[in-house]
Amino acid sequence: MAGAVVAAMVLTIALPDDLRLAPRWVVPTVEGLLLLALIAGDPGRIDRRSSVLRGMSITLVGVLALSAVWSTVQLVDDILGGGKETASATSLLQSGGTVWACTVLAFSMLYFELDSGGAAARAHHMPRTPALAFPQQLDPALSPPGWRPRFVDYLYLGLTNATAFSPTDVMPLAPWAKIAMGVQSLVSLLILGLVVARAVNVLA
């Protein structure tokens, strides 16, 4: 999880100025401070249940999501308006790829934080009816005793949902999960569709 946040910080720094929510170092600094506070408050397994830590985790996810949504909106506006960031194929692919990767990380963090009450809650007790059903939960014979989804499972969910535009092996059960996965699919389709169409137009 910490590695994903650091990757999101690096991607935010790499974004062109026109696609960033705030000046280059503002959002990564906020994300870094929140991450350090979370690590200091609950080092290791992320199994300490605390309303303060929970609030910071949700705030971190909110910052990541807001930054990703803002970059997506600005990218779409730049593509439709023929802005400088999408005037060349190289710049377009770099900007589009970076924004797309930011959305994958943001939604992965969203699933990680909201599913079954968050990582700390899952470490203590897995509900019988989770918001997201992994194959190991649908068929316990596929998993070792005491299996819990880790961040890599949610990262894989975010990646496959962004490329297939639909659920693959993880089924959304809760309404918020269905809405979140639907929104991510539409955002990813919008980014990839517009980027490809614009790239073909620029190259032509």
Side-chain angles (χ1 to χ4, degrees):
M1 186 273 287
V5 176
V6 172
M9 293 164 60
V10 173
L11 289 172
T12 302
I13 294 173
L15 281 171
D17 292 338
D18 292 346
L19 304 184
R20 243 185 271 112
L21 175 63
R24 185 178 299 271
W25 295 103
V26 173
V27 173
T29 299
V30 172
E31 293 170 346
L33 291 174
L34 287 170
L35 179 61
L36 289 175
L38 287 171
I39 293 174
D42 188 14
R45 293 181 56 202
I46 316 180
D47 58 359
R48 180 185 171 191
R49 288 187 283 191
S50 164
S51 58
V52 174
L53 292 175
R54 175 77 168 152
M56 286 194 295
S57 297
I58 292 176
T59 301
L60 177 58
V61 173
V63 172
L64 286 167
L66 179 60
S67 178
V69 169
W70 177 268
S71 297
T72 300
V73 171
Q74 294 302 112
L75 176 66
V76 171
D77 181 68
D78 205 87
I79 290 175
L80 296 179
K84 62 178 182 179
E85 302 301 342
T86 57
S88 71
T90 301
S91 176
L92 171 64
L93 294 176
Q94 288 177 344
S95 300
T98 302
V99 171
W100 182 82
C102 286
T103 62
V104 170
L105 291 174
F107 276 94
S108 299
M109 289 291 298
L110 179 70
Y111 302 139
F112 174 77
E113 187 55 44
L114 296 186
D115 183 32
S116 302
R122 290 193 299 270
H124 290 272
H125 173 69
M126 285 296 294
R128 294 186 61 185
T129 55
L132 295 164
F134 290 86
Q136 293 89 335
Q137 294 167 310
L138 296 174
D139 187 356
L142 298 175
S143 62
W147 181 86
R148 299 285 190 277
R150 297 180 297 173
F151 179 73
V152 66
D153 298 298
Y154 295 98
L155 180 60
Y156 177 75
L157 166 62
L159 179 62
T160 54
N161 193 51
T163 52
F165 313 125
S166 65
T168 52
D169 63 334
V170 182
M171 295 294 105
L173 303 181
W176 74 260
K178 295 178 181 181
I179 293 172
M181 291 184 68
V183 169
Q184 186 194 9
S185 297
L186 291 174
V187 168
S188 182
L189 180 61
L190 180 66
I191 293 174
L192 296 179
L194 287 177
V195 167
V196 170
R198 177 65 174 166
V200 169
N201 184 54
V202 170
L203 293 174

